Amino acid sequence: MSAYPGARADRPTLAVVGATGAVGSVMLQILSTRQDVYGEIRLVASPRSAGRKLSVRGEEVEVVALAPEVFDGVDVAMFDVPDAVSAEWAPVAAERGAVVVDNSGAFRMDDDVPLVVPEVNPEQVRHRPRGIIANPNCTTLSMIVAIGVLHEMYGLSELVVASYQAASGAGQEGVDTLYDQLERVAGKRGLGERPGDIRGVVGGLGPFPAPLALNVVPWAGSLKEDGWSSEELKVRNESRKILGLPDLRVSATCVRVPVVTTHSLAVHAVFDRDVDQREAQAVLAGAPGVVLVDHPEAYEFPTPADVVGTDPTWVGRVRRSLDDPRALDLFLCGDNLRKGAALNTAQIAELVAAELTR
Amino acid sequence: MSAYPGARADRPTLAVVGATGAVGSVMLQILSTRQDVYGEIRLVASPRSAGRKLSVRGEEVEVVALAPEVFDGVDVAMFDVPDAVSAEWAPVAAERGAVVVDNSGAFRMDDDVPLVVPEVNPEQVRHRPRGIIANPNCTTLSMIVAIGVLHEMYGLSELVVASYQAASGAGQEGVDTLYDQLERVAGKRGLGERPGDIRGVVGGLGPFPAPLALNVVPWAGSLKEDGWSSEELKVRNESRKILGLPDLRVSATCVRVPVVTTHSLAVHAVFDRDVDQREAQAVLAGAPGVVLVDHPEAYEFPTPADVVGTDPTWVGRVRRSLDDPRALDLFLCGDNLRKGAALNTAQIAELVAAELTR
C-alpha cells in the first residue's frame, strides 16, 4: 500500500503492470512528475520481480506479483507486458473493475477496443465496451501526432514510411546488445570494408537478425503475409484505425539502426488537397505535442541524439514534393520509450482518471 | 611511364585523375583485376600528392601532378575530384584527345554529357559531343540498376526513396570521424538516454552537421531550393536522365547513418502496370549486376555489413504494396565506393576502351 503523503483518497487508484521493464521504468519517471493525479499507486510485475522496491513520486513502493486480487479497488491499470500476458490478464483486471490501458499488441485491432492518441482521437477513450483501451505501437506513435494535424488540414490519402528504429524498441536486451557490439567494434579501424568482417567481431546478435553496430537491419517484428513484417503492418493498420481512415494507403519499410532510443521516420504523405509548405510548417509548429525544427540553412533538423528523453514528436525537413502538389516529405523523431510507449499510455490513463474524478 | 609487363601497346592509355583519394584507391583495386584492358596507366593527383607511389596491377606507379601535358597520348581519363576541379580540367583533358569519364557533379545534368550506367543505358556512351561522360551520384547508383530492370518490365511512374547513407559518402574525413566518434562513445553505457548527451562526448563532427555515432542525420550535401538537399535533388534529376523519363515523379529523403561504407535505400516504386511480386523477384534475380536476397522467413535480406566490398546491387524485402497493385516496396544495398563510384566509372571507361580497341 502506498504511504505517499500527497496521495488523496478521492483520487483514482492506479496499478502499473510490468513496472520493472524498460517502458515500466519510464512510466514511473513520468508518474513522478504528475503527483496529484492518482491516490494509491500499486506496482505489479511477474512473481520473479515481486518484493523488489521501486521509486515513484519519491517514495519506495514494493512490487507485488501479478494475481487477480491486485486489481481489487484499482480504477486504472496500465499494462506494459508481452502480448500473451496482456491477453490473459487485461480482461481479469477489467472484470475486477479497472479500466485497462494496454501497451501490448493483443487488443489494438479489436473492434471493441479503442486505439487512442490523446492529441488525435481523445474522444475514443469513452467507447470501451471491454473496459480496455489500447496504446499504439511505438513506430506509429512516433509520427501519428504530426500526421494527424496535417490530415485535419489537408485530408490524408496515402503514407509511404521508412523507419530508422532504435535498439530499445527491442527491449533492454536490444540496448545491451548494441552497447556490447559497440565496445567490440570500437578502435578497429578498417572494419566495415569487407563483406562479413563486422559479423566476425560483434559477438552475440541478441534480439536482432544481423549485427546492429556499424550496420542497418531491414527487419523488425515477425514475418506476416507476402514478406511484410508485423511492424510494417502495425504502422498501416494502426494509422488507419487511429485516424479513422479504413482505406488509407500505407506502405512502410521498417529498419533497425544503431541508435539506443528514439525512432525516426522519413514520411511521404499524400493528401486529398494541394498542400502549402509554409502553411504546413505553421500548422506543425502550432500543434500540441509537436515541435518543428526546420532550418536546414543552419543545419537545424531533429536527430535522435537531440530528441531522446523528451516528450514531443519533433518534425523537420518539411518539403512539398516537387512533382506532386498534394504531397509532403518530412523527417520525424520521437522517443520510442516516452511518447512511443510510456507517455502515451500515461496520457490515456489520465484522460480516464479525469473522467473518474469529475 | 608504366613498365607494366602485361601492358600491350595496342591497348588504350588510361589516366586516373584523383588517384590518391578514397574512390581513387578503390579504382586502382578494380583496375588491378582487369589486367588486359589498358596499355599504360597514368596516375594523376594534385601537386601535393605528386611523387607518391601507388600500386596498380602489381606494379608501383609514381603519381604525377595535374597539368595539361599529362593528358597527351591519353585515350581515356577517369576523374574523381571535386566538382570545381572537374569543371576546369575535364575539358582540358578532352581537348587533348582523351575521353573523360567524370565522377563529379560538374557535368551530370549537361545536355551534351551522357549520364551512364552500363547495365541500364550503355548506348549513351557514344553520344558525347564534349568528349565527356558523367558517372552518376553514389546514392542514385545504389538503386538504379535494380530499378532499371523493373522499369523495363512494368514502366516506372514514381519513386519515393529514403536513404541510409554511409560515412564514406562524405570521403575519408567522414570515415575517420565515424571511427573517432565510435571510440569516444564505446563503453559509456547509458549514453543516448538524455537529449544532447551524445553531443557532449563525440568530439569533432567532421563533415557532418550532427553526431553520427549512435545517431542518424537527415542531411547530405548542400541546401537547394525549398528545403531540398543537393543529394535529394540528384536522386531525382539523375534517375530521370538515366532512365530517360523526364517527367518521373521522385521524392527522396537522404539520411546519413553510422555505417562506414555501403548505402542502403528503402524504395517505394510505382509503375504504369500492375506488378506481380514473384515475377518482380524473378526479374531482379536474373538481372546482371543485381543479387536478390529475399528470404525473410530465414532472416535473409541485404545489410551493409554483408554487402560492403562487393560489386552488385543487393535487393531484398520485395513486397507488392497491400493498397496499390502497381507499387513495389523494396530495400537495396550497394557499396557506394564500388558500384556507387569507382566500379561504374571503370565500367564506363571499359565501354569506351572496347570501342577504341575495336
Side-chain angles (χ1 to χ4, degrees):
Chain A
M1 287 293 158
S2 172
Y4 177 60
R8 289 168 48 180
D10 63 341
R11 301 292 181 187
T13 296
L14 176 74
V16 180
V17 184
T20 56
V23 172
S25 83
V26 178
M27 276 182 177
L28 300 192
Q29 284 172 31
I30 291 170
L31 288 168
S32 297
T33 67
R34 289 160 160 76
Q35 310 248 352
D36 60 347
V37 178
Y38 302 102
E40 184 189 342
I41 294 180
R42 291 186 200 167
L43 306 185
V44 184
S46 64
R48 185 166 38 96
S49 298
R52 279 180 57 185
K53 290 199 170 176
L54 296 175
S55 174
V56 59
R57 297 187 300 196
E59 59 160 348
E60 297 289 296
V61 179
E62 189 172 314
V63 176
V64 297
L66 184 55
E69 314 80 69
V70 303
F71 298 107
D72 288 339
V74 168
D75 300 293
V76 184
M78 309 198 307
F79 274 63
D80 188 85
V81 291
D83 291 6
V85 179
S86 274
E88 181 180 349
W89 287 92
V92 172
E95 202 170 88
R96 301 226 164 195
V99 176
V100 175
V101 185
D102 179 46
N103 188 33
S104 82
F107 300 99
R108 287 180 189 142
M109 300 313 297
D110 186 321
D111 285 340
D112 289 331
V113 173
L115 186 65
V116 176
V117 182
E119 294 88 343
V120 181
N121 61 345
E123 71 287 352
Q124 293 282 320
V125 291
R126 292 179 169 271
H127 308 290
R128 48 174 197 253
R130 299 189 62 179
I132 302 172
I133 301 163
N135 191 59
N137 165 269
C138 54
T139 310
T140 308
L141 269 172
S142 299
M143 70 168 183
I144 204 72
V145 177
I147 298 301
V149 295
L150 293 172
H151 165 56
E152 214 172 293
M153 189 78 187
Y154 299 115
L156 187 65
S157 70
E158 184 174 9
L159 288 175
V160 180
V161 174
S163 76
Y164 303 72
Q165 296 189 220
S168 62
Q172 191 59 42
E173 189 196 358
V175 174
D176 293 339
T177 300
L178 176 56
Y179 284 131
D180 287 347
Q181 292 187 349
L182 278 180
E183 286 190 39
R184 287 163 174 268
V185 303
K188 298 195 174 65
R189 289 181 190 243
L191 200 66
E193 290 181 358
R194 281 179 304 281
D197 65 354
I198 291 171
R199 280 187 189 266
V201 305
V202 291
L205 299 181
F208 308 115
L212 193 57
L214 290 176
N215 205 19
V216 300
V217 182
W219 193 259
S222 57
L223 180 63
K224 299 293 176 183
E225 66 267 28
D226 298 327
W228 293 89
S229 72
S230 56
E231 191 85 356
E232 291 158 352
L233 296 187
K234 285 174 184 175
V235 171
R236 173 172 176 260
N237 298 335
E238 295 181 19
S239 296
R240 288 174 156 199
K241 182 167 176 176
I242 296 162
L243 297 172
L245 294 171
D247 299 318
L248 183 67
R249 289 153 56 152
V250 182
S251 279
T253 298
C254 289
V255 179
R256 195 78 68 181
V257 296
V259 164
V260 178
T261 294
T262 292
H263 288 351
S264 304
L265 292 91
V267 179
H268 177 79
V270 187
F271 299 90
D272 298 329
R273 297 182 281 285
D274 283 7
V275 297
D276 179 90
Q277 185 161 318
R278 304 263 164 266
E279 183 183 57
Q281 286 166 322
V283 165
L284 289 164
V290 175
V291 176
L292 181 77
V293 184
D294 197 4
H295 294 287
E297 72 286 359
Y299 294 129
E300 288 179 6
F301 27 69
T303 81
D306 298 319
V307 160
V308 62
T310 70
D311 288 349
T313 300
W314 297 68
V315 186
R317 305 296 327 281
V318 179
R319 293 148 290 156
R320 191 170 88 159
S321 169
L322 294 167
D323 305 315
D324 183 352
R326 298 171 305 127
L328 275 178
D329 290 274
L330 25 97
F331 185 82
L332 304 145
C333 294
D335 186 318
N336 53 300
L337 299 183
R338 295 183 72 86
K339 184 61 183 177
L343 176 64
N344 200 71
T345 303
Q347 287 174 312
I348 296 170
E350 282 176 28
L351 290 178
V352 177
E355 178 194 312
L356 297 178
T357 309
R358 211 175 298 148
Chain B
M1 288 291 161
S2 170
Y4 176 58
R8 288 167 48 178
D10 62 339
R11 300 293 182 187
T13 295
L14 175 75
V16 180
V17 184
T20 56
V23 172
S25 82
V26 178
M27 276 183 179
L28 301 192
Q29 286 171 30
I30 290 169
L31 289 168
S32 299
T33 67
R34 289 159 161 78
Q35 308 249 350
D36 60 347
V37 179
Y38 302 103
E40 185 189 340
I41 295 181
R42 291 185 199 166
L43 305 185
V44 184
S46 65
R48 187 167 36 95
S49 297
R52 279 180 58 187
K53 291 198 170 177
L54 296 175
S55 174
V56 58
R57 297 188 301 195
E59 60 161 346
E60 296 290 295
V61 178
E62 189 172 314
V63 175
V64 297
L66 184 56
E69 313 81 70
V70 303
F71 297 108
D72 289 338
V74 167
D75 299 294
V76 186
M78 308 197 308
F79 274 62
D80 189 85
V81 292
D83 290 5
V85 179
S86 273
E88 182 181 349
W89 287 92
V92 172
E95 202 171 88
R96 301 226 164 197
V99 176
V100 174
V101 185
D102 180 46
N103 189 33
S104 83
F107 300 100
R108 286 181 190 141
M109 298 315 295
D110 186 322
D111 286 340
D112 290 330
V113 173
L115 186 64
V116 176
V117 181
E119 293 88 344
V120 182
N121 60 346
E123 71 289 350
Q124 294 280 321
V125 292
R126 292 178 168 274
H127 308 291
R128 49 174 196 252
R130 300 189 61 178
I132 301 171
I133 302 163
N135 191 60
N137 165 269
C138 55
T139 311
T140 309
L141 269 172
S142 300
M143 71 168 182
I144 204 71
V145 176
I147 298 301
V149 295
L150 293 172
H151 165 56
E152 213 172 294
M153 189 80 188
Y154 299 115
L156 188 65
S157 70
E158 184 173 10
L159 287 175
V160 180
V161 175
S163 75
Y164 303 72
Q165 298 189 218
S168 62
Q172 191 58 43
E173 189 195 359
V175 174
D176 293 339
T177 300
L178 176 56
Y179 284 131
D180 287 348
Q181 293 186 351
L182 279 181
E183 285 190 40
R184 286 163 174 269
V185 303
K188 299 196 172 64
R189 290 182 186 240
L191 200 66
E193 290 181 359
R194 282 179 303 282
D197 65 355
I198 292 170
R199 280 188 190 266
V201 305
V202 291
L205 300 181
F208 308 116
L212 193 57
L214 289 177
N215 205 19
V216 301
V217 183
W219 193 258
S222 57
L223 180 62
K224 299 294 175 182
E225 67 267 27
D226 298 327
W228 293 89
S229 72
S230 56
E231 191 84 355
E232 290 158 353
L233 296 187
K234 285 174 185 176
V235 172
R236 173 173 177 260
N237 298 334
E238 296 181 19
S239 296
R240 289 174 156 198
K241 184 169 175 176
I242 296 162
L243 298 172
L245 294 171
D247 300 320
L248 182 69
R249 289 154 57 152
V250 183
S251 279
T253 298
C254 289
V255 179
R256 196 76 69 181
V257 295
V259 163
V260 178
T261 294
T262 292
H263 288 352
S264 305
L265 292 91
V267 178
H268 177 80
V270 187
F271 299 91
D272 298 328
R273 296 182 282 286
D274 283 7
V275 296
D276 179 89
Q277 186 160 319
R278 303 264 167 266
E279 184 184 55
Q281 287 166 322
V283 164
L284 289 164
V290 175
V291 176
L292 181 77
V293 184
D294 197 3
H295 293 287
E297 73 285 1
Y299 295 129
E300 288 178 7
F301 26 68
T303 82
D306 297 318
V307 160
V308 61
T310 69
D311 289 348
T313 301
W314 297 68
V315 186
R317 304 294 330 279
V318 179
R319 294 147 290 156
R320 192 170 86 159
S321 168
L322 293 167
D323 305 315
D324 182 353
R326 299 170 305 124
L328 275 178
D329 290 275
L330 25 96
F331 184 81
L332 303 145
C333 294
D335 185 318
N336 53 301
L337 300 182
R338 294 183 71 86
K339 184 61 183 178
L343 175 64
N344 201 70
T345 303
Q347 287 175 310
I348 296 170
E350 283 176 28
L351 290 178
V352 177
E355 174 193 318
L356 298 177
T357 308
R358 212 175 297 148

